[in-house]
Amino acid sequence: TGVKPHILRYWEQEFRDIKPVKSSRGQRLYRKKDLEAIFTIKNLLHDKKFTINGAKMYLSTQRRLVDEIKGELKEIVELLEKGKEK
């Protein structure tokens, strides 16, 4: 990722989207989801010059938007399934 290990540790504390699992030896194992979050955070902080709090707010807003879209899609699927039953 090009991010120094001590910065990654700090980001793990600050951003809930980064949650690596630890191996039996205590090494952090980053999943695809973690890496995507790291690259997004890196982009927000380094390229777009967000503050830590600004990046947190942005990510929170994005999560809420995704949750709203998921809810609306579920409603659409339910309506379509009811239409098939008739």
Side-chain angles (χ1 to χ4, degrees):
T1 62
V3 179
K4 294 184 179 183
H6 71 278
I7 300 295
L8 286 174
R9 306 298 176 262
Y10 176 70
W11 288 359
E12 288 171 21
Q13 294 173 1
E14 293 295 319
F15 296 96
R16 71 179 200 181
D17 295 333
I18 305 174
K19 292 184 181 173
V21 295
K22 290 193 179 179
S23 71
S24 59
R25 294 182 164 180
Q27 293 178 319
R28 286 170 168 79
L29 303 174
Y30 294 96
R31 298 161 294 176
K32 182 180 178 183
K33 178 180 160 185
D34 297 316
L35 293 174
E36 289 171 352
I38 290 167
F39 282 116
T40 299
I41 292 165
K42 180 181 177 184
N43 178 51
L44 292 173
L45 297 177
H46 294 197
D47 299 334
K48 295 188 177 180
K49 306 297 183 197
F50 278 58
T51 63
I52 294 284
N53 284 336
K56 285 181 185 179
M57 288 173 44
Y58 176 84
L59 293 171
S60 174
T61 300
Q62 294 296 84
R63 275 191 295 276
R64 280 197 305 269
L65 182 59
V66 168
D67 289 343
E68 286 179 30
I69 292 169
K70 283 181 182 178
E72 291 174 8
L73 288 172
K74 285 180 183 177
E75 289 177 18
I76 291 170
V77 168
E78 288 172 6
L79 288 171
L80 290 172
E81 287 175 349
K82 286 180 183 178
K84 283 184 183 178
E85 292 172 3
K86 291 183 178 185

